[in-house]
Amino acid sequence: MSYYNSSERTRQKKDAKRTSMMTAAVRVFAEKGYHAATVRDIVRDANVAIGTFYFYFPDKETLFVHLYEETADFLLQAIDQAVNSRVDLPHQLLKGIQAYVNIALYEPAVIQLLLVGGVGAVPSLTVRRAEFRERLITIWQRPLNTAISQGKIPPQNTRRVAEAYAGAFDENVLNLLSHPEPDIEAETAVQEMALFALRAAAYSGPSSVYPAKTS
Amino acid sequence: MSYYNSSERTRQKKDAKRTSMMTAAVRVFAEKGYHAATVRDIVRDANVAIGTFYFYFPDKETLFVHLYEETADFLLQAIDQAVNSRVDLPHQLLKGIQAYVNIALYEPAVIQLLLVGGVGAVPSLTVRRAEFRERLITIWQRPLNTAISQGKIPPQNTRRVAEAYAGAFDENVLNLLSHPEPDIEAETAVQEMALFALRAAAYSGPSSVYPAKTS
Amino acid sequence: MSYYNSSERTRQKKDAKRTSMMTAAVRVFAEKGYHAATVRDIVRDANVAIGTFYFYFPDKETLFVHLYEETADFLLQAIDQAVNSRVDLPHQLLKGIQAYVNIALYEPAVIQLLLVGGVGAVPSLTVRRAEFRERLITIWQRPLNTAISQGKIPPQNTRRVAEAYAGAFDENVLNLLSHPEPDIEAETAVQEMALFALRAAAYSGPSSVYPAKTS
Amino acid sequence: MSYYNSSERTRQKKDAKRTSMMTAAVRVFAEKGYHAATVRDIVRDANVAIGTFYFYFPDKETLFVHLYEETADFLLQAIDQAVNSRVDLPHQLLKGIQAYVNIALYEPAVIQLLLVGGVGAVPSLTVRRAEFRERLITIWQRPLNTAISQGKIPPQNTRRVAEAYAGAFDENVLNLLSHPEPDIEAETAVQEMALFALRAAAYSGPSSVYPAKTS
DNA sequence: TATGAATGAGAATTCATTCAT
DNA sequence: TATGAATGAATTCTCATTCAT
């Protein structure tokens, strides 16, 4: 075991390769979807032999599910942090949406994986997808509940509204991405989405989230 | 699938076999998704031999795409008709949503096929999916534009709002279906969805779509 | 179903192919043993495509186990019938051994399959092998028990003796088959084996099983 | 595997690693059979890296064959010594059988390896197996020949009888081992096997090998 | 028209073996 | 000597598709 203490560099190399393979896997899965993506596609993209794949991962499905969960965690955490960084509903929505759109712009594979890639593909994914949606909905629901208890918005079925938010934002983001130059339109989109959400919650406080627009 | 009876393509009675295979295909595709559904599954369900499948359809993918389009047409037409049956925004939204929810309740396969089944599965579907979303968005956009020109709602980016509607309704419907007894909750859901949409469009007319609820 | 009543010829053809594939499988399994025999070997031998194999059989292991059981049944039945065709121990042994040796000579694959081919190979075979040995031992044990009750041989542990018979005959047969011209030596071998078995059971009746040897 | 300590090959203490791998290999091969046993299984069991395996052994098959031969040598030598330690047929058989049964009881892996493990599995083993059986048969044949020349048993085909002995003892031992508590029954089994063998050789001298049993 | 036996490309996975460190 | 990451040939099995009847 301790014959050569090269274990440090080896470890790092191994981790690097592992990471590079996962990156390749995300690329391929995002591009082709779970079924159409073959293990051969992945290893070709990662420039390793097929056996190497199975040295690092037990099988294709496990890797996919793992990637899905990791990606979901990443997205949810980002949105959640953004939302929690503010205390008033307008800014909570704005920041949350901003976080979502940013990820969509700079890591489009995240959206591909979570919203498109493996939707009806892997049986064992159905559960994870449900969990992902549930957590996403919860993230949007919390600020709504708070706003109600603070009297900022009237009582309403926040669960349903949060669901609607989640679906609405997905569709807006997907459409944004399908544009030729998404980043240019992004800021406008974020504001419109936030205003949409605010109105939908019957928010009647300070109407704009941008102080400049004082009208 | 009762909704196929309304299709022009199936008026020829002689190919009841073709119809039965398409019905079976919808069932199987909806249940298992595109990839997991095998041609054998379909013909077994339709009680015909596998050769018969290839007499009527060129291949699995073509059939799926065809089914997807037909299903999309069916759904879009139903929503469109419902929307167009009214002239005021509140009722347009209400009716449209109602139509959507009804179809989801009584032909859940439609939702499976369009929203879940083959999303990231079939390459040649990407285009059709885009078209489907586009048309769906257009359906929701039109009444918004009308309402603006009538001064019922303030000017706004109706395209973005319509996208949000489409996504929001999908998510609400999907969540509704995942409940144990969707039909019981359906009416409430429809109203909440309509109110959500109305508020989101900054509608400020008669606040309720149901006269009884005068509060 | 009844469109073409060619079902008769088709059925027969199918059965014929099925049989020919099983024959090929026996050949290959007997020659190479379970693991070394690949499905490709079998279909090559049977002159069909690899898919055809899986059209007829669920998988390699199931086929092998089935073949093993069928072969075991065949051998056991043959020996059992031969033994039961006589009533005195000498002839029972003689006939039983004769049957065994005959099968070994004319269907050597039977011996390969049962004694060599898949001994330590397939987990699910362990049970079948144990059953096969058990039944074989029982076949040899019965005439011994009868002989004891008739006073033809002294009381003894017939179970152990029957085990010894089974093992002894196997080894004799295996050695016979490894000779250049087994059939020439076969008759002598059978007699020697029978005499061996008779002596081993302490049989003291008419010493020869062949009436001609009256001395 | 204690019996390898007696091997000349392992006298060099420096390669305890080699020995530990061989021991592990015997364990694993005996437990799973040649094909199911992977090199990884072996090195895991021996607590070394997989590369180490290939430093000591050219490949899996060579090791197996080597192990088989060594194990065969060990068993044959033990039986041979036991047989040669006596001069009269009854005790020669008794001692030989005793030696065999003892090894089976205390080193069951020996029996697994030689009789079960890789019988039809390794092509290059066929020859070694034949040699092993040949030597085993010879061991049993020699005392028979001696007994004939001493007039203790009538002339007979000692080759065939020796084959039968070998097969019979194998089967008896295998059955003994498959019992829940083999060691309890072992002594009885040995005596019955010896008497079986004596009778089968038409031995008519002092009937019991145990003077006490004077009946 | 209808059948279903037959095909074979292609997918996932295993595992003996090599080799840079 | 020892390690274990990396390799890729080989295997089993699936399934869309074809075609003789």
Side-chain angles (χ1 to χ4, degrees):
Chain A
M1 314 284 176
S2 54
Y3 240 74
Y4 290 82
N5 67 349
S6 60
S7 28
E8 265 325 287
R9 239 181 306 164
T10 307
R11 167 82 58 93
Q12 287 182 343
K13 256 192 181 173
K14 191 179 172 184
D15 282 1
K17 179 153 286 189
R18 188 188 170 78
T19 306
S20 98
M21 291 184 66
M22 291 180 70
T23 308
V26 169
R27 253 197 309 273
V28 176
F29 280 136
E31 186 190 329
K32 308 192 163 190
Y34 175 76
H35 262 114
T38 70
V39 175
R40 280 203 141 75
D41 289 335
I42 296 171
V43 299
R44 193 182 307 126
D45 202 278
N47 259 310
V48 295
I50 197 150
T52 308
F53 179 93
Y54 289 94
F55 179 75
Y56 284 97
F57 312 110
D59 55 39
K60 185 186 163 186
E61 182 169 344
T62 303
L63 173 60
F64 184 75
V65 170
H66 176 72
L67 251 24
Y68 185 91
E69 288 188 318
E70 205 166 83
T71 306
D73 285 349
F74 168 70
L75 179 65
L76 292 170
Q77 206 186 48
I79 298 178
D80 199 33
Q81 279 185 358
V83 168
N84 292 334
S85 71
R86 298 305 167 104
V87 292
D88 59 314
L89 186 61
H91 285 97
Q92 284 171 326
L93 292 174
L94 187 76
K95 287 292 168 184
I97 293 166
Q98 222 160 39
Y100 189 13
V101 169
N102 273 333
I103 287 176
L105 286 180
Y106 300 117
E107 300 282 1
V110 169
I111 269 63
Q112 282 295 316
L113 217 60
L114 295 178
L115 303 190
V116 184
V119 177
V122 199
S124 78
L125 201 70
T126 313
V127 180
R128 328 286 169 140
R129 200 194 117 85
E131 285 172 10
F132 164 55
R133 299 311 292 181
E134 205 57 40
R135 288 167 67 195
L136 181 58
I137 291 167
T138 306
I139 288 176
W140 295 123
Q141 195 176 1
R142 207 158 16 214
L144 290 170
N145 286 336
T146 308
I148 290 176
S149 68
Q150 294 173 341
K152 298 293 173 62
I153 58 172
Q156 56 196 282
N157 186 342
T158 55
R159 163 76 200 197
R160 184 109 48 207
V161 173
E163 287 169 17
Y165 279 5
F169 300 158
D170 284 352
E171 191 73 23
N172 284 142
V173 160
L174 247 15
N175 273 278
L176 183 62
L177 284 184
S178 72
H179 280 205
E181 300 204 71
D183 41 351
I184 291 176
E185 210 196 342
E187 199 172 343
T188 310
V190 169
Q191 288 184 44
E192 290 180 356
M193 289 162 71
L195 287 172
F196 174 96
L198 272 181
R199 293 193 306 261
Y203 180 80
S204 52
S207 69
S208 171
V209 294
Y210 283 93
K213 309 208 172 181
T214 46
S215 80
Chain B
M1 290 298 110
S2 53
Y3 66 92
Y4 285 112
N5 294 338
S6 61
S7 159
E8 287 76 21
R9 286 181 184 80
T10 53
R11 62 194 155 205
Q12 311 97 321
K13 265 290 164 260
K14 57 175 180 176
D15 50 14
K17 205 160 266 184
R18 184 175 211 273
T19 306
S20 98
M21 292 183 65
M22 292 180 67
T23 307
V26 169
R27 254 198 307 271
V28 176
F29 280 136
E31 186 190 329
K32 308 191 164 188
Y34 177 75
H35 263 112
T38 70
V39 175
R40 281 198 136 75
D41 289 334
I42 296 170
V43 298
R44 193 183 308 126
D45 207 275
N47 260 310
V48 296
I50 198 158
T52 310
F53 180 93
Y54 287 91
F55 179 78
Y56 285 100
F57 312 108
D59 55 40
K60 184 186 166 187
E61 181 168 347
T62 303
L63 172 61
F64 184 77
V65 170
H66 174 72
L67 249 25
Y68 184 91
E69 289 186 318
E70 201 163 286
T71 306
D73 286 349
F74 167 71
L75 178 66
L76 292 170
Q77 204 186 44
I79 298 178
D80 199 33
Q81 279 185 358
V83 168
N84 292 334
S85 71
R86 300 302 170 104
V87 292
D88 60 316
L89 187 61
H91 285 96
Q92 284 171 326
L93 292 174
L94 188 75
K95 286 295 169 182
I97 292 165
Q98 224 159 37
Y100 189 14
V101 168
N102 273 333
I103 288 176
L105 287 179
Y106 301 117
E107 299 282 5
V110 170
I111 269 62
Q112 283 295 317
L113 218 59
L114 296 177
L115 303 189
V116 185
V119 177
V122 196
S124 77
L125 202 69
T126 314
V127 180
R128 328 288 168 137
R129 199 193 118 89
E131 285 171 10
F132 163 56
R133 299 311 291 182
E134 205 57 39
R135 290 166 65 196
L136 181 58
I137 291 166
T138 305
I139 289 177
W140 295 121
Q141 195 176 3
R142 206 158 17 215
L144 288 171
N145 286 336
T146 307
I148 290 176
S149 68
Q150 293 174 339
K152 298 293 173 61
I153 58 171
Q156 55 195 281
N157 185 342
T158 55
R159 162 76 200 197
R160 183 107 52 206
V161 173
E163 286 170 17
Y165 280 4
F169 300 157
D170 284 353
E171 191 75 24
N172 283 142
V173 160
L174 248 14
N175 274 276
L176 183 63
L177 284 185
S178 72
H179 279 206
E181 300 202 73
D183 42 350
I184 290 176
E185 209 194 345
E187 199 173 342
T188 309
V190 169
Q191 288 185 43
E192 289 180 357
M193 289 162 72
L195 287 173
F196 173 94
L198 272 181
R199 293 193 305 259
Y203 179 81
S204 53
S207 67
S208 172
V209 292
Y210 283 94
K213 309 211 169 179
T214 47
S215 79
Chain C
M1 311 286 178
S2 53
Y3 241 74
Y4 291 80
N5 68 349
S6 60
S7 28
E8 266 324 287
R9 238 181 308 162
T10 308
R11 167 80 60 91
Q12 287 181 344
K13 256 192 182 172
K14 192 178 171 183
D15 282 1
K17 179 153 286 187
R18 189 189 168 78
T19 305
S20 98
M21 291 184 66
M22 291 180 68
T23 309
V26 169
R27 252 197 309 274
V28 177
F29 280 137
E31 186 190 328
K32 306 193 163 187
Y34 176 76
H35 262 114
T38 71
V39 174
R40 279 204 142 74
D41 289 335
I42 295 171
V43 298
R44 194 182 307 126
D45 202 279
N47 259 309
V48 295
I50 199 152
T52 307
F53 179 92
Y54 289 93
F55 179 75
Y56 285 98
F57 313 109
D59 56 38
K60 186 185 162 188
E61 182 169 344
T62 303
L63 173 61
F64 184 75
V65 170
H66 176 72
L67 250 24
Y68 184 92
E69 289 186 318
E70 205 166 81
T71 306
D73 286 349
F74 168 69
L75 178 66
L76 291 170
Q77 205 187 45
I79 297 178
D80 199 33
Q81 279 185 357
V83 168
N84 292 334
S85 71
R86 298 304 168 103
V87 292
D88 60 315
L89 187 60
H91 284 97
Q92 284 171 326
L93 292 174
L94 187 75
K95 287 293 171 183
I97 293 165
Q98 223 160 39
Y100 189 14
V101 169
N102 272 333
I103 288 176
L105 286 179
Y106 300 116
E107 299 281 3
V110 168
I111 268 64
Q112 282 296 316
L113 217 60
L114 296 178
L115 303 190
V116 185
V119 176
V122 198
S124 78
L125 201 71
T126 313
V127 180
R128 328 287 169 138
R129 199 193 118 87
E131 285 171 10
F132 164 55
R133 298 311 292 182
E134 204 58 39
R135 289 166 67 195
L136 181 58
I137 290 166
T138 305
I139 288 176
W140 295 121
Q141 194 176 2
R142 206 157 18 213
L144 289 171
N145 286 336
T146 309
I148 289 176
S149 68
Q150 294 174 339
K152 297 293 174 63
I153 59 171
Q156 55 196 281
N157 185 343
T158 55
R159 163 77 199 197
R160 184 110 48 209
V161 173
E163 287 170 16
Y165 279 5
F169 299 157
D170 283 353
E171 191 74 23
N172 283 140
V173 160
L174 246 16
N175 273 276
L176 183 62
L177 283 185
S178 72
H179 279 206
E181 298 203 74
D183 43 348
I184 291 176
E185 208 195 344
E187 198 173 344
T188 310
V190 169
Q191 288 185 44
E192 290 181 356
M193 289 162 72
L195 287 173
F196 173 95
L198 272 182
R199 292 193 306 259
Y203 179 82
S204 53
S207 68
S208 172
V209 293
Y210 284 94
K213 310 210 170 178
T214 47
S215 80
Chain D
M1 291 300 107
S2 55
Y3 67 93
Y4 283 111
N5 295 336
S6 61
S7 157
E8 285 77 24
R9 287 179 182 81
T10 53
R11 60 195 157 207
Q12 310 97 321
K13 266 288 163 260
K14 59 176 178 175
D15 50 13
K17 204 159 268 188
R18 183 175 212 274
T19 306
S20 98
M21 292 184 64
M22 292 180 68
T23 306
V26 170
R27 254 198 306 272
V28 176
F29 280 136
E31 186 190 328
K32 308 190 164 190
Y34 176 76
H35 263 112
T38 71
V39 175
R40 283 200 134 75
D41 288 335
I42 295 171
V43 299
R44 191 183 311 125
D45 206 275
N47 261 310
V48 296
I50 198 158
T52 309
F53 180 93
Y54 287 91
F55 179 78
Y56 284 100
F57 311 109
D59 56 38
K60 184 186 165 187
E61 182 168 346
T62 304
L63 172 61
F64 184 76
V65 170
H66 175 72
L67 249 25
Y68 184 92
E69 289 186 317
E70 201 163 286
T71 306
D73 285 349
F74 167 71
L75 177 67
L76 291 170
Q77 204 186 44
I79 298 179
D80 199 32
Q81 278 185 358
V83 168
N84 291 334
S85 70
R86 298 304 167 104
V87 293
D88 59 316
L89 186 61
H91 284 96
Q92 284 170 325
L93 292 174
L94 188 76
K95 286 293 168 185
I97 293 166
Q98 223 159 38
Y100 189 13
V101 169
N102 273 334
I103 288 176
L105 287 179
Y106 300 117
E107 300 282 3
V110 169
I111 268 63
Q112 283 296 317
L113 218 60
L114 296 178
L115 303 190
V116 184
V119 177
V122 197
S124 76
L125 202 71
T126 314
V127 180
R128 328 288 167 139
R129 199 193 118 86
E131 285 172 9
F132 163 57
R133 299 311 291 181
E134 204 57 40
R135 290 167 64 197
L136 181 59
I137 291 167
T138 305
I139 288 176
W140 294 122
Q141 194 176 4
R142 205 157 19 214
L144 288 172
N145 285 338
T146 307
I148 290 176
S149 69
Q150 293 174 340
K152 298 294 173 62
I153 59 171
Q156 55 195 282
N157 185 341
T158 55
R159 163 76 199 195
R160 184 108 49 208
V161 172
E163 288 170 15
Y165 279 5
F169 299 157
D170 284 352
E171 191 75 24
N172 283 141
V173 160
L174 247 15
N175 274 277
L176 183 62
L177 284 185
S178 72
H179 278 205
E181 299 204 70
D183 42 350
I184 291 176
E185 210 196 344
E187 198 172 343
T188 310
V190 169
Q191 288 185 44
E192 289 180 356
M193 289 162 70
L195 287 173
F196 174 95
L198 273 181
R199 292 195 305 260
Y203 179 81
S204 53
S207 67
S208 172
V209 293
Y210 284 93
K213 310 211 170 178
T214 46
S215 78

